[in-house]
Structure formats: structure tokens, C-alpha cells
Amino acid sequence: KAGVTQTPRYLIKTRGQQVTLSCSPISGHRSVSWYQQTPGQGLQFLFEYFSETQRNKGNFPGRFSGRQFSNSRSEMNVSTLELGDSALYLCASSPVLRNYGYTFGSGTRLTVV
Amino acid sequence: AQRVTQPEKLLSVFKGAPVELKCNYSYSGSPELFWYVQYSRQRLQLLLRHISRESIKGFTADLNKGETSFHLKKPFAQEEDSAMYYCALTSRGSARQLTFGSGTQLTVLP
């Protein structure tokens, strides 16, 4: 069974640019959540999608957005990048209705210069 | 608001010694609690969750609602247990999100 796949693994962007990250959940998982991991703030929840609808959103500015497609794949977008957006972005999938713990991807390491 | 506190950033024990990683939480409802582990150069993975009451790799954790704690324990630590451990809490219901603690780096010394 394939795990959660995130692409790309690494990204370097310049301040002011925008970036799109992709996540393919485990087959059969309909919920996809995104987390930001930084040394200073730790793991912080960004948002969760289920059935192509955003179900919950963390405390991040509107520059952070996402979407989910009918095949449950998800993308997150960050516009007008700032240096502080440099982080590891983790995607996690879950069957959601069965109250399981999440399965995480390896993450996308974003560096903003 | 929900919060998870892991008071120890670093914890070192000798191989064969008991280990306890502390986790305290604050949440007004009835939470679901987890322990996640991240070994060096590996992805974050679920270690155990309180509702299943299972033991994984010799680790157990008991939910103490009176003390709002969910400490992770193992009677005899092994070197391969060295990793970063995160306690996490999620609300029940449809609006689920994981709130993580800041993590404890466990080092098991030979």
C-alpha cells in the first residue's frame, strides 16, 4: 500500500513569489491535512480537506490556501512568500470517519531566500 | 483552546532503564490523544493512541483525566528508541485537527 506522497521534496523560492505543494493521500483516505513544521513553532495545523471541502483552518494568514480534488489529492499554495515561510510542510491523510491517527508524508522542505 | 505540553525538550536514559516521557494537555471536551514518533531521517509516524489501549514496541500510555496527562512509558529502553517523540491531541467530531506538543528528544545511551 503506497504511503502519503508529497512533491516536490525540496523547493527554493524568492521572497514575493508563490509556491504550490502537492500531496497524494493513501488510497481510500478522504481526508488530507496540512501542517507546518519549524524549529521555533514546532508543528502547526494549517488546514484540513475532506470531500473537496475545507473542513477546518488553522491560524495562518490568507496567503496560505489549499484545495482538494475529486481523487482526494490535495495542493496547498502560498502566495507572496516571506522569509518566515521557510519550513517543512507536512501532509497527513486519514480515513477521517474511522477516527484513526494520521499517516504523514515525508514533507516538502521550502526555503525562501 | 486545546494545548499540549511536553515539559522535557531533551531526555537521556541508559539502555535497559525505564523511561517516561511526560505529556499534559488542556482541553474542555473529551479529547483523543496520540503519541507520534520521528526517528532520524524518517517521517513522522503514529506510535499509539489512547483509545486502542495497545502496546507498540513496548511503549504504553495511560490517559489520566484527573491529572490531564498522557505519559508515555517503557520499562526497558533500547538504543533504537532514540527519537523525537510528540504528544498530540485531537478533538472529536468532524472538525478535527491535531495539536502537537513541542516534542521530547529521547536519547538512549549504551
Side-chain angles (χ1 to χ4, degrees), chain A residues 1-38:
Chain A
K1 195 175 189 182
V4 178
T5 303
Q6 291 188 247
T7 56
R9 290 294 306 276
Y10 302 93
L11 268 176
I12 300 176
K13 290 287 187 178
T14 306
R15 272 183 303 173
Q17 287 186 312
Q18 74 167 20
V19 66
T20 300
L21 312 181
S22 178
C23 172
S24 293
I26 288 177
S27 177
H29 283 196
R30 297 169 62 193
S31 169
V32 174
S33 297
W34 290 88
Y35 289 82
Q36 182 195 63
Q37 186 176 28
T38 60

PDB file of all heavy atoms in Angstrom, chain A residues 1-38:
ATOM      1  N   LYS A   1       0.848  -1.173   0.000  1.00  0.00           N
ATOM      2  CA  LYS A   1       0.000   0.000   0.000  1.00  0.00           C
ATOM      3  C   LYS A   1       0.892   1.234   0.000  1.00  0.00           C
ATOM      4  O   LYS A   1       1.719   1.410   0.883  1.00  0.00           O
ATOM      5  CB  LYS A   1      -0.857  -0.024   1.268  1.00  0.00           C
ATOM      6  CG  LYS A   1      -2.020   0.918   1.237  1.00  0.00           C
ATOM      7  CD  LYS A   1      -2.879   0.714   2.497  1.00  0.00           C
ATOM      8  CE  LYS A   1      -4.173   1.497   2.398  1.00  0.00           C
ATOM      9  NZ  LYS A   1      -4.982   1.349   3.603  1.00  0.00           N
ATOM     10  N   ALA A   2       0.756   2.097  -1.013  1.00  0.00           N
ATOM     11  CA  ALA A   2       1.600   3.281  -1.100  1.00  0.00           C
ATOM     12  C   ALA A   2       1.263   4.219   0.048  1.00  0.00           C
ATOM     13  O   ALA A   2       0.122   4.325   0.492  1.00  0.00           O
ATOM     14  CB  ALA A   2       1.378   3.972  -2.429  1.00  0.00           C
ATOM     15  N   GLY A   3       2.307   4.919   0.531  1.00  0.00           N
ATOM     16  CA  GLY A   3       2.094   5.866   1.609  1.00  0.00           C
ATOM     17  C   GLY A   3       1.646   7.214   1.069  1.00  0.00           C
ATOM     18  O   GLY A   3       1.264   7.352  -0.093  1.00  0.00           O
ATOM     19  N   VAL A   4       1.723   8.209   1.928  1.00  0.00           N
ATOM     20  CA  VAL A   4       1.391   9.567   1.543  1.00  0.00           C
ATOM     21  C   VAL A   4       2.568  10.142   0.765  1.00  0.00           C
ATOM     22  O   VAL A   4       3.705  10.117   1.256  1.00  0.00           O
ATOM     23  CB  VAL A   4       1.086  10.423   2.780  1.00  0.00           C
ATOM     24  CG1 VAL A   4       0.799  11.858   2.371  1.00  0.00           C
ATOM     25  CG2 VAL A   4      -0.084   9.833   3.567  1.00  0.00           C
ATOM     26  N   THR A   5       2.302  10.644  -0.428  1.00  0.00           N
ATOM     27  CA  THR A   5       3.358  11.139  -1.299  1.00  0.00           C
ATOM     28  C   THR A   5       3.267  12.645  -1.437  1.00  0.00           C
ATOM     29  O   THR A   5       2.217  13.180  -1.807  1.00  0.00           O
ATOM     30  CB  THR A   5       3.251  10.499  -2.693  1.00  0.00           C
ATOM     31  OG1 THR A   5       3.297   9.073  -2.560  1.00  0.00           O
ATOM     32  CG2 THR A   5       4.416  10.949  -3.574  1.00  0.00           C
ATOM     33  N   GLN A   6       4.387  13.302  -1.143  1.00  0.00           N
ATOM     34  CA  GLN A   6       4.439  14.754  -1.284  1.00  0.00           C
ATOM     35  C   GLN A   6       5.487  15.132  -2.317  1.00  0.00           C
ATOM     36  O   GLN A   6       6.588  14.579  -2.333  1.00  0.00           O
ATOM     37  CB  GLN A   6       4.789  15.408   0.055  1.00  0.00           C
ATOM     38  CG  GLN A   6       3.679  15.292   1.079  1.00  0.00           C
ATOM     39  CD  GLN A   6       3.981  16.109   2.316  1.00  0.00           C
ATOM     40  OE1 GLN A   6       4.206  15.573   3.403  1.00  0.00           O
ATOM     41  NE2 GLN A   6       3.947  17.428   2.177  1.00  0.00           N
ATOM     42  N   THR A   7       5.124  16.075  -3.167  1.00  0.00           N
ATOM     43  CA  THR A   7       6.057  16.581  -4.166  1.00  0.00           C
ATOM     44  C   THR A   7       5.978  18.093  -4.232  1.00  0.00           C
ATOM     45  O   THR A   7       4.901  18.681  -4.003  1.00  0.00           O
ATOM     46  CB  THR A   7       5.749  16.008  -5.562  1.00  0.00           C
ATOM     47  OG1 THR A   7       4.382  16.308  -5.894  1.00  0.00           O
ATOM     48  CG2 THR A   7       5.979  14.515  -5.605  1.00  0.00           C
ATOM     49  N   PRO A   8       7.095  18.780  -4.519  1.00  0.00           N
ATOM     50  CA  PRO A   8       8.438  18.211  -4.572  1.00  0.00           C
ATOM     51  C   PRO A   8       9.003  17.990  -3.170  1.00  0.00           C
ATOM     52  O   PRO A   8       8.373  18.372  -2.191  1.00  0.00           O
ATOM     53  CB  PRO A   8       9.210  19.298  -5.314  1.00  0.00           C
ATOM     54  CG  PRO A   8       8.543  20.566  -4.888  1.00  0.00           C
ATOM     55  CD  PRO A   8       7.073  20.226  -4.764  1.00  0.00           C
ATOM     56  N   ARG A   9      10.134  17.405  -3.050  1.00  0.00           N
ATOM     57  CA  ARG A   9      10.753  17.204  -1.740  1.00  0.00           C
ATOM     58  C   ARG A   9      11.418  18.484  -1.244  1.00  0.00           C
ATOM     59  O   ARG A   9      11.386  18.773  -0.052  1.00  0.00           O
ATOM     60  CB  ARG A   9      11.793  16.093  -1.811  1.00  0.00           C
ATOM     61  CG  ARG A   9      11.223  14.694  -2.007  1.00  0.00           C
ATOM     62  CD  ARG A   9      10.390  14.235  -0.804  1.00  0.00           C
ATOM     63  NE  ARG A   9      11.110  14.325   0.457  1.00  0.00           N
ATOM     64  CZ  ARG A   9      11.934  13.387   0.923  1.00  0.00           C
ATOM     65  NH1 ARG A   9      12.135  12.293   0.223  1.00  0.00           N
ATOM     66  NH2 ARG A   9      12.548  13.545   2.094  1.00  0.00           N
ATOM     67  N   TYR A  10      11.994  19.222  -2.165  1.00  0.00           N
ATOM     68  CA  TYR A  10      12.695  20.462  -1.802  1.00  0.00           C
ATOM     69  C   TYR A  10      12.320  21.570  -2.793  1.00  0.00           C
ATOM     70  O   TYR A  10      12.093  21.304  -3.975  1.00  0.00           O
ATOM     71  CB  TYR A  10      14.224  20.266  -1.838  1.00  0.00           C
ATOM     72  CG  TYR A  10      14.712  19.162  -0.928  1.00  0.00           C
ATOM     73  CD1 TYR A  10      14.881  17.868  -1.414  1.00  0.00           C
ATOM     74  CD2 TYR A  10      14.990  19.414   0.410  1.00  0.00           C
ATOM     75  CE1 TYR A  10      15.319  16.847  -0.580  1.00  0.00           C
ATOM     76  CE2 TYR A  10      15.431  18.401   1.252  1.00  0.00           C
ATOM     77  CZ  TYR A  10      15.594  17.125   0.748  1.00  0.00           C
ATOM     78  OH  TYR A  10      16.020  16.124   1.576  1.00  0.00           O
ATOM     79  N   LEU A  11      12.270  22.779  -2.257  1.00  0.00           N
ATOM     80  CA  LEU A  11      11.967  23.955  -3.076  1.00  0.00           C
ATOM     81  C   LEU A  11      12.743  25.140  -2.539  1.00  0.00           C
ATOM     82  O   LEU A  11      12.804  25.345  -1.321  1.00  0.00           O
ATOM     83  CB  LEU A  11      10.481  24.290  -2.993  1.00  0.00           C
ATOM     84  CG  LEU A  11       9.506  23.709  -4.010  1.00  0.00           C
ATOM     85  CD1 LEU A  11       8.089  24.134  -3.642  1.00  0.00           C
ATOM     86  CD2 LEU A  11       9.867  24.149  -5.408  1.00  0.00           C
ATOM     87  N   ILE A  12      13.278  25.915  -3.447  1.00  0.00           N
ATOM     88  CA  ILE A  12      13.875  27.198  -3.059  1.00  0.00           C
ATOM     89  C   ILE A  12      13.166  28.280  -3.855  1.00  0.00           C
ATOM     90  O   ILE A  12      13.101  28.212  -5.094  1.00  0.00           O
ATOM     91  CB  ILE A  12      15.395  27.233  -3.336  1.00  0.00           C
ATOM     92  CG1 ILE A  12      16.093  26.128  -2.545  1.00  0.00           C
ATOM     93  CG2 ILE A  12      15.961  28.608  -2.960  1.00  0.00           C
ATOM     94  CD1 ILE A  12      17.589  26.014  -2.818  1.00  0.00           C
ATOM     95  N   LYS A  13      12.612  29.233  -3.138  1.00  0.00           N
ATOM     96  CA  LYS A  13      11.879  30.318  -3.779  1.00  0.00           C
ATOM     97  C   LYS A  13      12.394  31.657  -3.258  1.00  0.00           C
ATOM     98  O   LYS A  13      13.012  31.732  -2.183  1.00  0.00           O
ATOM     99  CB  LYS A  13      10.380  30.188  -3.478  1.00  0.00           C
ATOM    100  CG  LYS A  13       9.704  29.017  -4.168  1.00  0.00           C
ATOM    101  CD  LYS A  13       9.549  29.266  -5.646  1.00  0.00           C
ATOM    102  CE  LYS A  13       8.741  28.197  -6.320  1.00  0.00           C
ATOM    103  NZ  LYS A  13       8.561  28.476  -7.769  1.00  0.00           N
ATOM    104  N   THR A  14      12.075  32.685  -4.003  1.00  0.00           N
ATOM    105  CA  THR A  14      12.464  34.047  -3.636  1.00  0.00           C
ATOM    106  C   THR A  14      11.281  34.749  -2.975  1.00  0.00           C
ATOM    107  O   THR A  14      10.127  34.471  -3.319  1.00  0.00           O
ATOM    108  CB  THR A  14      12.920  34.818  -4.879  1.00  0.00           C
ATOM    109  OG1 THR A  14      13.948  34.079  -5.545  1.00  0.00           O
ATOM    110  CG2 THR A  14      13.434  36.201  -4.532  1.00  0.00           C
ATOM    111  N   ARG A  15      11.590  35.633  -2.067  1.00  0.00           N
ATOM    112  CA  ARG A  15      10.528  36.433  -1.423  1.00  0.00           C
ATOM    113  C   ARG A  15       9.622  37.058  -2.468  1.00  0.00           C
ATOM    114  O   ARG A  15      10.070  37.571  -3.487  1.00  0.00           O
ATOM    115  CB  ARG A  15      11.147  37.549  -0.586  1.00  0.00           C
ATOM    116  CG  ARG A  15      11.477  37.162   0.824  1.00  0.00           C
ATOM    117  CD  ARG A  15      12.020  38.333   1.603  1.00  0.00           C
ATOM    118  NE  ARG A  15      13.193  38.905   0.982  1.00  0.00           N
ATOM    119  CZ  ARG A  15      13.789  40.015   1.394  1.00  0.00           C
ATOM    120  NH1 ARG A  15      13.293  40.685   2.421  1.00  0.00           N
ATOM    121  NH2 ARG A  15      14.862  40.476   0.794  1.00  0.00           N
ATOM    122  N   GLY A  16       8.332  37.018  -2.207  1.00  0.00           N
ATOM    123  CA  GLY A  16       7.367  37.616  -3.104  1.00  0.00           C
ATOM    124  C   GLY A  16       6.780  36.640  -4.116  1.00  0.00           C
ATOM    125  O   GLY A  16       5.720  36.901  -4.685  1.00  0.00           O
ATOM    126  N   GLN A  17       7.486  35.536  -4.331  1.00  0.00           N
ATOM    127  CA  GLN A  17       6.963  34.539  -5.270  1.00  0.00           C
ATOM    128  C   GLN A  17       5.840  33.740  -4.617  1.00  0.00           C
ATOM    129  O   GLN A  17       5.546  33.894  -3.435  1.00  0.00           O
ATOM    130  CB  GLN A  17       8.080  33.590  -5.712  1.00  0.00           C
ATOM    131  CG  GLN A  17       9.089  34.195  -6.665  1.00  0.00           C
ATOM    132  CD  GLN A  17      10.076  33.157  -7.167  1.00  0.00           C
ATOM    133  OE1 GLN A  17      10.639  32.378  -6.380  1.00  0.00           O
ATOM    134  NE2 GLN A  17      10.289  33.130  -8.472  1.00  0.00           N
ATOM    135  N   GLN A  18       5.218  32.874  -5.407  1.00  0.00           N
ATOM    136  CA  GLN A  18       4.239  31.963  -4.861  1.00  0.00           C
ATOM    137  C   GLN A  18       4.694  30.530  -5.120  1.00  0.00           C
ATOM    138  O   GLN A  18       5.546  30.283  -5.978  1.00  0.00           O
ATOM    139  CB  GLN A  18       2.857  32.195  -5.459  1.00  0.00           C
ATOM    140  CG  GLN A  18       2.681  31.714  -6.883  1.00  0.00           C
ATOM    141  CD  GLN A  18       1.208  31.688  -7.275  1.00  0.00           C
ATOM    142  OE1 GLN A  18       0.362  32.338  -6.669  1.00  0.00           O
ATOM    143  NE2 GLN A  18       0.884  30.914  -8.295  1.00  0.00           N
ATOM    144  N   VAL A  19       4.108  29.600  -4.364  1.00  0.00           N
ATOM    145  CA  VAL A  19       4.532  28.214  -4.487  1.00  0.00           C
ATOM    146  C   VAL A  19       3.326  27.304  -4.305  1.00  0.00           C
ATOM    147  O   VAL A  19       2.376  27.638  -3.574  1.00  0.00           O
ATOM    148  CB  VAL A  19       5.614  27.887  -3.431  1.00  0.00           C
ATOM    149  CG1 VAL A  19       5.050  27.947  -2.009  1.00  0.00           C
ATOM    150  CG2 VAL A  19       6.246  26.532  -3.685  1.00  0.00           C
ATOM    151  N   THR A  20       3.346  26.179  -4.998  1.00  0.00           N
ATOM    152  CA  THR A  20       2.297  25.167  -4.868  1.00  0.00           C
ATOM    153  C   THR A  20       2.920  23.843  -4.506  1.00  0.00           C
ATOM    154  O   THR A  20       3.870  23.395  -5.155  1.00  0.00           O
ATOM    155  CB  THR A  20       1.503  25.019  -6.178  1.00  0.00           C
ATOM    156  OG1 THR A  20       0.890  26.274  -6.505  1.00  0.00           O
ATOM    157  CG2 THR A  20       0.423  23.960  -6.032  1.00  0.00           C
ATOM    158  N   LEU A  21       2.400  23.235  -3.445  1.00  0.00           N
ATOM    159  CA  LEU A  21       2.874  21.940  -2.983  1.00  0.00           C
ATOM    160  C   LEU A  21       1.771  20.909  -3.202  1.00  0.00           C
ATOM    161  O   LEU A  21       0.588  21.236  -3.080  1.00  0.00           O
ATOM    162  CB  LEU A  21       3.225  22.003  -1.489  1.00  0.00           C
ATOM    163  CG  LEU A  21       4.087  23.180  -1.019  1.00  0.00           C
ATOM    164  CD1 LEU A  21       4.346  23.066   0.473  1.00  0.00           C
ATOM    165  CD2 LEU A  21       5.374  23.257  -1.794  1.00  0.00           C
ATOM    166  N   SER A  22       2.177  19.673  -3.469  1.00  0.00           N
ATOM    167  CA  SER A  22       1.199  18.643  -3.782  1.00  0.00           C
ATOM    168  C   SER A  22       1.274  17.478  -2.801  1.00  0.00           C
ATOM    169  O   SER A  22       2.342  17.152  -2.283  1.00  0.00           O
ATOM    170  CB  SER A  22       1.436  18.137  -5.201  1.00  0.00           C
ATOM    171  OG  SER A  22       0.528  17.108  -5.533  1.00  0.00           O
ATOM    172  N   CYS A  23       0.121  16.857  -2.584  1.00  0.00           N
ATOM    173  CA  CYS A  23       0.041  15.721  -1.665  1.00  0.00           C
ATOM    174  C   CYS A  23      -0.941  14.691  -2.222  1.00  0.00           C
ATOM    175  O   CYS A  23      -2.099  15.017  -2.520  1.00  0.00           O
ATOM    176  CB  CYS A  23      -0.431  16.185  -0.299  1.00  0.00           C
ATOM    177  SG  CYS A  23      -0.806  14.844   0.870  1.00  0.00           S
ATOM    178  N   SER A  24      -0.485  13.442  -2.317  1.00  0.00           N
ATOM    179  CA  SER A  24      -1.364  12.345  -2.694  1.00  0.00           C
ATOM    180  C   SER A  24      -1.555  11.452  -1.476  1.00  0.00           C
ATOM    181  O   SER A  24      -0.577  10.875  -0.978  1.00  0.00           O
ATOM    182  CB  SER A  24      -0.767  11.536  -3.844  1.00  0.00           C
ATOM    183  OG  SER A  24      -0.715  12.315  -5.012  1.00  0.00           O
ATOM    184  N   PRO A  25      -2.782  11.335  -0.983  1.00  0.00           N
ATOM    185  CA  PRO A  25      -3.002  10.550   0.242  1.00  0.00           C
ATOM    186  C   PRO A  25      -2.973   9.051  -0.044  1.00  0.00           C
ATOM    187  O   PRO A  25      -2.925   8.618  -1.189  1.00  0.00           O
ATOM    188  CB  PRO A  25      -4.405  10.989   0.672  1.00  0.00           C
ATOM    189  CG  PRO A  25      -5.089  11.334  -0.606  1.00  0.00           C
ATOM    190  CD  PRO A  25      -4.022  11.923  -1.483  1.00  0.00           C
ATOM    191  N   ILE A  26      -3.013   8.299   1.013  1.00  0.00           N
ATOM    192  CA  ILE A  26      -3.137   6.851   0.902  1.00  0.00           C
ATOM    193  C   ILE A  26      -4.459   6.542   0.211  1.00  0.00           C
ATOM    194  O   ILE A  26      -5.488   7.186   0.477  1.00  0.00           O
ATOM    195  CB  ILE A  26      -3.081   6.207   2.300  1.00  0.00           C
ATOM    196  CG1 ILE A  26      -1.657   6.274   2.850  1.00  0.00           C
ATOM    197  CG2 ILE A  26      -3.568   4.771   2.271  1.00  0.00           C
ATOM    198  CD1 ILE A  26      -1.507   5.733   4.249  1.00  0.00           C
ATOM    199  N   SER A  27      -4.438   5.547  -0.660  1.00  0.00           N
ATOM    200  CA  SER A  27      -5.652   5.163  -1.372  1.00  0.00           C
ATOM    201  C   SER A  27      -6.769   4.843  -0.373  1.00  0.00           C
ATOM    202  O   SER A  27      -6.585   4.070   0.574  1.00  0.00           O
ATOM    203  CB  SER A  27      -5.364   3.936  -2.241  1.00  0.00           C
ATOM    204  OG  SER A  27      -6.532   3.505  -2.897  1.00  0.00           O
ATOM    205  N   GLY A  28      -7.921   5.457  -0.598  1.00  0.00           N
ATOM    206  CA  GLY A  28      -9.050   5.227   0.301  1.00  0.00           C
ATOM    207  C   GLY A  28      -9.176   6.272   1.395  1.00  0.00           C
ATOM    208  O   GLY A  28     -10.228   6.368   2.039  1.00  0.00           O
ATOM    209  N   HIS A  29      -8.125   7.024   1.631  1.00  0.00           N
ATOM    210  CA  HIS A  29      -8.191   8.100   2.623  1.00  0.00           C
ATOM    211  C   HIS A  29      -8.811   9.328   1.963  1.00  0.00           C
ATOM    212  O   HIS A  29      -8.351   9.783   0.918  1.00  0.00           O
ATOM    213  CB  HIS A  29      -6.805   8.443   3.164  1.00  0.00           C
ATOM    214  CG  HIS A  29      -6.297   7.458   4.152  1.00  0.00           C
ATOM    215  ND1 HIS A  29      -5.238   7.737   5.000  1.00  0.00           N
ATOM    216  CD2 HIS A  29      -6.699   6.203   4.453  1.00  0.00           C
ATOM    217  CE1 HIS A  29      -5.008   6.690   5.777  1.00  0.00           C
ATOM    218  NE2 HIS A  29      -5.885   5.742   5.456  1.00  0.00           N
ATOM    219  N   ARG A  30      -9.814   9.883   2.603  1.00  0.00           N
ATOM    220  CA  ARG A  30     -10.517  11.009   2.009  1.00  0.00           C
ATOM    221  C   ARG A  30     -10.209  12.336   2.677  1.00  0.00           C
ATOM    222  O   ARG A  30     -10.629  13.380   2.210  1.00  0.00           O
ATOM    223  CB  ARG A  30     -12.018  10.724   2.049  1.00  0.00           C
ATOM    224  CG  ARG A  30     -12.426   9.508   1.220  1.00  0.00           C
ATOM    225  CD  ARG A  30     -13.851   9.106   1.484  1.00  0.00           C
ATOM    226  NE  ARG A  30     -14.794  10.158   1.106  1.00  0.00           N
ATOM    227  CZ  ARG A  30     -16.066  10.158   1.468  1.00  0.00           C
ATOM    228  NH1 ARG A  30     -16.535   9.194   2.237  1.00  0.00           N
ATOM    229  NH2 ARG A  30     -16.860  11.127   1.082  1.00  0.00           N
ATOM    230  N   SER A  31      -9.512  12.262   3.787  1.00  0.00           N
ATOM    231  CA  SER A  31      -9.159  13.491   4.498  1.00  0.00           C
ATOM    232  C   SER A  31      -7.682  13.771   4.321  1.00  0.00           C
ATOM    233  O   SER A  31      -6.840  12.877   4.461  1.00  0.00           O
ATOM    234  CB  SER A  31      -9.482  13.349   5.981  1.00  0.00           C
ATOM    235  OG  SER A  31      -8.908  14.421   6.709  1.00  0.00           O
ATOM    236  N   VAL A  32      -7.384  15.019   4.012  1.00  0.00           N
ATOM    237  CA  VAL A  32      -5.984  15.451   3.901  1.00  0.00           C
ATOM    238  C   VAL A  32      -5.811  16.691   4.759  1.00  0.00           C
ATOM    239  O   VAL A  32      -6.568  17.655   4.646  1.00  0.00           O
ATOM    240  CB  VAL A  32      -5.606  15.765   2.438  1.00  0.00           C
ATOM    241  CG1 VAL A  32      -4.195  16.356   2.388  1.00  0.00           C
ATOM    242  CG2 VAL A  32      -5.678  14.501   1.588  1.00  0.00           C
ATOM    243  N   SER A  33      -4.799  16.646   5.608  1.00  0.00           N
ATOM    244  CA  SER A  33      -4.470  17.786   6.459  1.00  0.00           C
ATOM    245  C   SER A  33      -3.055  18.241   6.153  1.00  0.00           C
ATOM    246  O   SER A  33      -2.202  17.449   5.759  1.00  0.00           O
ATOM    247  CB  SER A  33      -4.568  17.413   7.941  1.00  0.00           C
ATOM    248  OG  SER A  33      -5.881  17.056   8.282  1.00  0.00           O
ATOM    249  N   TRP A  34      -2.830  19.523   6.363  1.00  0.00           N
ATOM    250  CA  TRP A  34      -1.510  20.114   6.147  1.00  0.00           C
ATOM    251  C   TRP A  34      -0.996  20.720   7.447  1.00  0.00           C
ATOM    252  O   TRP A  34      -1.756  21.365   8.188  1.00  0.00           O
ATOM    253  CB  TRP A  34      -1.583  21.201   5.071  1.00  0.00           C
ATOM    254  CG  TRP A  34      -1.826  20.688   3.690  1.00  0.00           C
ATOM    255  CD1 TRP A  34      -3.028  20.452   3.101  1.00  0.00           C
ATOM    256  CD2 TRP A  34      -0.828  20.369   2.715  1.00  0.00           C
ATOM    257  NE1 TRP A  34      -2.844  19.996   1.822  1.00  0.00           N
ATOM    258  CE2 TRP A  34      -1.510  19.945   1.548  1.00  0.00           C
ATOM    259  CE3 TRP A  34       0.567  20.413   2.690  1.00  0.00           C
ATOM    260  CZ2 TRP A  34      -0.841  19.551   0.393  1.00  0.00           C
ATOM    261  CZ3 TRP A  34       1.234  20.023   1.551  1.00  0.00           C
ATOM    262  CH2 TRP A  34       0.527  19.596   0.413  1.00  0.00           C
ATOM    263  N   TYR A  35       0.306  20.522   7.671  1.00  0.00           N
ATOM    264  CA  TYR A  35       0.953  21.062   8.865  1.00  0.00           C
ATOM    265  C   TYR A  35       2.255  21.736   8.465  1.00  0.00           C
ATOM    266  O   TYR A  35       2.919  21.309   7.520  1.00  0.00           O
ATOM    267  CB  TYR A  35       1.256  19.952   9.885  1.00  0.00           C
ATOM    268  CG  TYR A  35       0.012  19.404  10.543  1.00  0.00           C
ATOM    269  CD1 TYR A  35      -0.767  18.449   9.915  1.00  0.00           C
ATOM    270  CD2 TYR A  35      -0.386  19.881  11.784  1.00  0.00           C
ATOM    271  CE1 TYR A  35      -1.918  17.958  10.514  1.00  0.00           C
ATOM    272  CE2 TYR A  35      -1.538  19.398  12.392  1.00  0.00           C
ATOM    273  CZ  TYR A  35      -2.293  18.439  11.743  1.00  0.00           C
ATOM    274  OH  TYR A  35      -3.433  17.972  12.337  1.00  0.00           O
ATOM    275  N   GLN A  36       2.589  22.778   9.197  1.00  0.00           N
ATOM    276  CA  GLN A  36       3.860  23.452   9.015  1.00  0.00           C
ATOM    277  C   GLN A  36       4.755  23.102  10.198  1.00  0.00           C
ATOM    278  O   GLN A  36       4.313  23.166  11.346  1.00  0.00           O
ATOM    279  CB  GLN A  36       3.658  24.976   8.963  1.00  0.00           C
ATOM    280  CG  GLN A  36       4.939  25.754   8.728  1.00  0.00           C
ATOM    281  CD  GLN A  36       4.788  27.237   9.047  1.00  0.00           C
ATOM    282  OE1 GLN A  36       4.531  27.597  10.192  1.00  0.00           O
ATOM    283  NE2 GLN A  36       4.926  28.074   8.043  1.00  0.00           N
ATOM    284  N   GLN A  37       5.989  22.720   9.918  1.00  0.00           N
ATOM    285  CA  GLN A  37       6.920  22.403  10.990  1.00  0.00           C
ATOM    286  C   GLN A  37       8.138  23.316  10.913  1.00  0.00           C
ATOM    287  O   GLN A  37       8.831  23.351   9.894  1.00  0.00           O
ATOM    288  CB  GLN A  37       7.367  20.936  10.922  1.00  0.00           C
ATOM    289  CG  GLN A  37       8.224  20.504  12.112  1.00  0.00           C
ATOM    290  CD  GLN A  37       8.564  19.021  12.069  1.00  0.00           C
ATOM    291  OE1 GLN A  37       8.644  18.405  11.021  1.00  0.00           O
ATOM    292  NE2 GLN A  37       8.777  18.430  13.252  1.00  0.00           N
ATOM    293  N   THR A  38       8.386  24.048  11.971  1.00  0.00           N
ATOM    294  CA  THR A  38       9.556  24.917  12.069  1.00  0.00           C
ATOM    295  C   THR A  38      10.236  24.684  13.408  1.00  0.00           C
ATOM    296  O   THR A  38       9.588  24.262  14.377  1.00  0.00           O
ATOM    297  CB  THR A  38       9.165  26.404  11.972  1.00  0.00           C
ATOM    298  OG1 THR A  38       8.255  26.714  13.044  1.00  0.00           O
ATOM    299  CG2 THR A  38       8.516  26.726  10.642  1.00  0.00           C
TER     300      THR A  38
END
